[in-house]
Amino acid sequence: TTQNSLNIFSSLSITPDLTYTAANTTALPPLTPPPESTPVEFNHTNNEEIEKIEIDIDPIAKNENMGFVNGSVCENGSGQDEVEMVKNSGKDCNLFMGKWVKDDGYPVYQPGSCPFVDEAYDCQSNGRPDFDYMKWRWKPDGCDLPRFNATDFLVRIKDKRLLLVGDSMNRNQFESMLCLLREGLPDKSKMYEVHGYKITKGRGFYIFKFVDFNCTIEYLRSHFLVKEGTRINGQGNSNPTLSIDKIDKTAKRWKRADILVFNTGHWWTHGKTSRGKNYYKEGDYVYPKFDAVEAYKKALKTWGEWIDKNLDPERQMVFYRAYSSAHFRGGDWDSGGSCNGESEPILSGPFLDNYPTKMKIVEDVIQHMKVPVILLNVTRLTNFRKDGHPSVYGKMRIKGMKVSTRKQDCSHWCLPGVPDAWNELIYATLVYQQSAAMNQVHQSRQT
């Protein structure tokens, strides 16, 4: 039927346009990133708080899930330049292989202008003196990304819920998305957090509503995508566990979203996780010792099986955002590692070909899933950007206070900055797939 042909998921799966295969890339050991928070926060996922929120309070009054082409730019005329750019880009462009080019049109939003950037990523307000790290644009080989159009993006997700699920790297991306979309609103009061929450490191659940488009952008913290828990050891102390065969208990909220962006990875090098002693759990059994890479593989399979069983590709779009590279030199996050003073990307060298084992696992899991998952493969493009991290500028300093170089953040990203490109890639994906869907509709009408 015409309605079925309008649904962009009816015949589209992972396409060559939207994936990056590292078959010819030498896998190097992944860098060790810092944890997203202090160990004190390790067991705190705000699940108790989430449970308290009334389930019947839906921030979108009516969500008919009629497919992403409904109400899209092709019907109302906006965003036509982006659609034409897609048509002229060629079918064989790999969005994730390319280079960064200097562009004075960046950043899309000015530093300090967006109230949704939390302190940890607000590098300019925290005293970072250089600006060039914000003036790079990702340029895929063989094509150009459509210029980010906030209004067009919002029209494309009208009446939808877009949910980012993962660790603080996804919070980094979530804040970037809010700032990018805010730029397209003439009346910025028409965008707000539905519970009045201010974005902080400690809170793990947000819903931002865009009134004029009846859509929401949401974030839900899940460090591992599988279930965190605790056990009582022989001494009567409570120790954390990770059930690699059980999905995270926030998953019931995943079902309600129309577009989902998942990630996990950085917490798998956290001390207890990487050591794997009396930590990993299957069923009721806690392994005395278990390999972290094998645990990661099992956890991703648990996630993939849940997606296949619970999500509907006819009405839901699923992204998995790939591992984001860290750039510590002279040590790791907890042993004096540094990235202070880096002011331009890596332009050549073996680091650019670094492809973590974690990503090969992700690719394998996705390839065996029934539900199409778009791999937002940002690993290579983040390899370049040693200049994009907060480093010593992740915290506001009192005037006159000396900058401490003892502990640096070379894992997360300044905003404006690199995560803006991840969201430009999501936008490009929507444009590409919706353009393809419209072509299908046009061809079906001709026949």
Side-chain angles (χ1 to χ4, degrees):
T1 65
T2 303
Q3 183 55 55
N4 286 338
S5 66
L6 281 174
N7 191 312
I8 69 171
F9 308 116
S10 58
S11 61
L12 295 176
S13 59
I14 304 173
T15 69
D17 295 353
L18 302 173
T19 56
Y20 159 51
T21 302
N24 299 319
T25 303
T26 303
L28 299 176
L31 294 176
T32 303
E36 65 175 86
S37 59
T38 63
V40 175
E41 197 189 16
F42 185 78
N43 292 320
H44 180 58
T45 58
N46 279 66
N47 286 322
E48 298 81 2
E49 177 186 355
I50 291 170
E51 294 299 322
K52 292 177 184 176
I53 297 174
E54 294 292 336
I55 293 200
D56 60 353
I57 298 178
D58 193 335
I60 298 181
K62 188 177 183 182
N63 185 345
E64 296 178 343
N65 292 309
M66 296 299 287
F68 287 81
V69 176
N70 266 8
S72 74
V73 291
C74 297
E75 295 179 4
N76 64 18
S78 65
Q80 196 59 40
D81 288 345
E82 286 78 8
V83 174
E84 290 301 319
M85 181 179 287
V86 168
K87 289 179 180 177
N88 296 330
S89 289
K91 295 290 185 183
D92 300 322
C93 180
N94 187 325
L95 299 182
F96 307 106
M97 295 294 286
K99 61 185 177 181
W100 292 89
V101 296
K102 264 298 185 62
D103 189 328
D104 288 333
Y106 278 71
V108 175
Y109 54 97
Q110 293 303 308
S113 68
C114 180
F116 309 124
V117 178
D118 76 53
E119 180 184 55
Y121 313 140
D122 193 2
C123 301
Q124 289 293 311
S125 296
N126 295 340
R128 181 165 176 168
D130 57 313
F131 297 91
D132 282 354
Y133 70 93
M134 295 182 285
K135 297 202 170 285
W136 294 93
R137 170 173 57 85
W138 178 247
K139 167 70 172 69
D141 295 332
C143 66
D144 286 297
L145 293 179
R147 201 75 173 186
F148 190 86
N149 182 323
T151 304
D152 183 28
F153 190 112
L154 288 164
V155 168
R156 290 175 186 274
I157 64 168
K158 186 175 184 294
D159 301 324
K160 306 298 175 188
R161 305 174 75 151
L162 189 158
L163 172 64
L164 294 98
V165 181
D167 58 26
S168 62
M169 293 297 170
N170 256 16
R171 193 180 86 243
N172 217 171
Q173 183 174 1
F174 168 68
E175 294 179 20
S176 161
M177 185 174 288
L178 294 179
C179 294
L180 288 168
L181 295 179
R182 181 177 181 271
E183 283 298 296
L185 299 179
D187 182 354
K188 293 179 172 45
S189 69
K190 295 283 188 76
M191 166 193 182
Y192 59 87
E193 209 289 322
V194 298
H195 302 104
Y197 296 149
K198 181 180 178 182
I199 296 178
T200 64
K201 180 179 178 178
R203 187 174 297 281
F205 180 53
Y206 297 97
I207 302 175
F208 275 80
K209 182 166 185 178
F210 292 77
V211 176
D212 291 338
F213 302 90
N214 193 42
C215 65
T216 60
I217 306 294
E218 309 178 21
Y219 168 71
L220 189 57
R221 182 167 59 207
S222 177
H223 300 133
F224 302 98
L225 304 180
V226 290
K227 186 178 178 181
E228 294 180 77
T230 56
R231 73 178 187 96
I232 305 300
N233 64 20
Q235 291 72 44
N237 298 319
S238 176
N239 286 339
T241 59
L242 190 66
S243 295
I244 52 181
D245 60 338
K246 295 180 181 176
I247 203 69
D248 188 89
K249 48 185 188 175
T250 65
K252 63 184 178 181
R253 291 188 166 267
W254 307 356
K255 295 180 183 181
R256 302 177 203 154
D258 301 284
I259 308 175
L260 297 105
V261 183
F262 292 96
N263 95 294
T264 186
H266 285 259
W267 273 73
W268 291 86
T269 56
H270 195 286
K272 190 171 284 292
T273 317
S274 59
R275 287 191 297 272
K277 292 184 178 180
N278 298 311
Y279 179 65
Y280 294 112
K281 184 177 179 182
E282 281 193 277
D284 294 326
Y285 181 71
V286 178
Y287 290 96
K289 175 71 176 173
F290 200 80
D291 179 67
V293 173
E294 189 62 28
Y296 182 80
K297 186 184 300 184
K298 283 179 174 284
L300 261 289
K301 285 182 178 178
T302 298
W303 168 80
E305 288 167 0
W306 187 94
I307 296 292
D308 281 344
K309 184 178 179 181
N310 292 279
L311 297 189
D312 179 5
E314 290 293 314
R315 70 171 188 86
Q316 292 169 298
M317 174 183 270
V318 182
F319 290 89
Y320 185 95
R321 202 256 305 134
Y323 189 80
S324 158
S325 303
H327 294 86
F328 291 93
R329 60 171 191 261
D332 291 326
W333 66 270
D334 56 352
S335 59
S338 170
C339 54
N340 189 27
E342 297 289 1
S343 58
E344 62 180 28
I346 298 171
L347 300 177
S348 63
F351 190 85
L352 296 183
D353 292 324
N354 177 36
Y355 199 66
T357 302
K358 287 196 211 54
M359 285 310 305
K360 292 186 176 294
I361 292 170
V362 168
E363 286 184 341
D364 183 65
V365 169
I366 289 175
Q367 286 169 6
H368 289 90
M369 290 172 63
K370 292 183 296 183
V371 171
V373 174
I374 298 167
L375 179 58
L376 197 69
N377 203 335
V378 303
T379 299
R380 179 174 169 81
L381 69 89
T382 59
N383 281 352
F384 288 89
R385 296 305 306 274
K386 64 183 171 64
D387 59 324
H389 302 289
S391 183
V392 298
Y393 302 106
K395 191 169 181 61
M396 185 76 73
R397 301 193 312 276
I398 301 171
K399 191 173 182 179
M401 181 184 293
K402 187 178 179 181
V403 179
S404 171
T405 59
R406 186 176 60 85
K407 199 169 184 179
Q408 299 188 22
D409 183 353
C410 306
S411 182
H412 298 95
W413 304 93
C414 296
L415 293 178
V418 171
D420 299 333
W422 306 348
N423 290 318
E424 289 177 318
L425 287 163
I426 287 180
Y427 175 60
T429 304
L430 293 175
V431 172
Y432 268 65
Q433 291 212 355
Q434 291 179 0
S435 177
M438 278 300 180
N439 286 337
Q440 289 177 6
V441 172
H442 181 67
Q443 289 170 7
S444 67
R445 286 173 178 168
Q446 287 183 327
T447 56

